[in-house]
Amino acid sequence: MPVDRPGPALMELIEMTTEDKLFEAIDAERLPAHVAIIMDGNGRWAKERGLPRSAGHRQGVETLREVVRYASSLGIGVLTMFAFSTENWRRPPWEVKYLMGLPQEYLYSELPELIKNNVRVNLLGDPRRLPGPARQAVEKGIEETAHCSGMLLNFALNYGSRQEIIRAVRTIGEDLANGKLTSAIDEEVFASYLYTAGAPDPDLLIRTGGEYRLSNFLLWQIAYSELWFTKTYWPDFKCRHLLQALGDYQRRERRFGQV
Ligand code: IPE
Ligand code: IPE
Ligand code: MG
């Protein structure tokens, strides 16, 4: 006799049970201080459903909403989300335009919740190239959450790690010339010139969508991060996937070059 696939209600119950089990397996005392996520696979998620790529980006915003809420409720200190790279400007104009509409869509609807959850918004990247409405939404998000002392939520938007490093080198050169910088340049000084200044390096880097590459994300900062890849497309990524990543992270031995 053929076995029926579990119906939606049963599937939901199975997933809830899995989530509970995964949650119980996490040690709240040893959470990563900083989790960085490359949200990838929106386009393929849509294509597989016969939908336009924009539908994947839209669903991706919903995943973002859930993951941010969940990470903050778990007590993650810093969450960095890769939303748009300096290379993503090379996409077709309609897609760039669509993606550049998402910061305002997310931030205006989510700001009350972010403030309620004490989440502070920050931007990694050059805001000058962002279209006005996107830039204004990000500025508003930063301003209105400036007093929040809970999770730091970094949006990497028009972000490229190589550009970030070049920018740091240039500013260091200027500050040496104008006397603002008088100390020797060591790792700590250099890191203070990056967009991530003041935040700990990511302990855990997650990439969804099945690609095993970094795509110009946080190259300096992830020197000793634990990397976690999943084939799951970003729109399908759920809190249980985050729990799975956190559990795997906690089972790894970080040696930092020692024995
Ligand atoms: C991630 O999904 C969103 C951005 C890079 C802005 P993609 O749009 O890259 O989706 P795929 O990789 O084509 O499936
Ligand atoms: C990386 O995804 C950038 C973001 C998730 C914002 P891409 O889809 O742009 O990366 P590549 O092109 O596959 O390397
Ligand atoms: Mg992609």
Side-chain angles (χ1 to χ4, degrees), residues 39-45 53 57 83-84 88 91 95 99:
M39 307 182 271
D40 195 23
N42 294 353
R44 282 163 287 161
W45 180 91
R53 292 176 60 82
H57 297 315
F84 192 92
N88 288 147
R91 292 188 178 201
E95 188 172 348
L99 288 166

Side-chain angles (χ1 to χ4, degrees), residues 73-206:
S73 76
L74 284 175
I76 302 286
V78 186
L79 182 66
T80 299
M81 310 302 283
F82 200 7
F84 192 92
S85 75
T86 43
E87 289 71 34
N88 288 147
W89 295 107
R90 295 179 192 149
R91 292 188 178 201
W94 76 264
E95 188 172 348
V96 169
K97 190 163 176 246
Y98 189 86
L99 288 166
M100 283 300 148
L102 297 178
Q104 46 276 48
E105 183 181 317
Y106 171 77
L107 283 167
Y108 290 138
S109 59
E110 198 65 11
L111 255 178
E113 179 78 17
L114 292 171
I115 293 168
K116 191 178 96 197
N117 295 332
N118 203 19
V119 172
R120 181 158 66 91
V121 173
N122 182 37
L123 174 73
L124 310 185
D126 188 345
R128 287 171 302 183
R129 197 172 169 188
L130 300 179
R135 197 175 56 236
Q136 282 145 22
V138 172
E139 281 164 1
K140 186 175 153 80
I142 293 172
E143 266 169 41
E144 298 207 353
T145 60
H147 64 285
C148 295
S149 56
M151 187 174 84
L152 172 64
L153 174 58
N154 287 324
F155 280 109
L157 201 57
N158 184 28
Y159 174 86
S161 185
R162 288 187 169 181
Q163 289 82 343
E164 176 187 39
I165 289 170
I166 297 289
R167 172 183 172 270
V169 172
R170 285 205 187 115
T171 317
I172 287 173
E174 284 164 20
D175 284 359
L176 283 173
N178 64 27
K180 257 200 230 165
L181 179 63
T182 49
S183 62
I185 301 163
D186 59 12
E187 288 184 16
E188 203 181 316
V189 168
F190 186 78
S192 74
Y193 279 85
L194 299 173
Y195 289 122
T196 46
D201 286 338
D203 300 292
L204 173 63
L205 173 78
I206 295 173

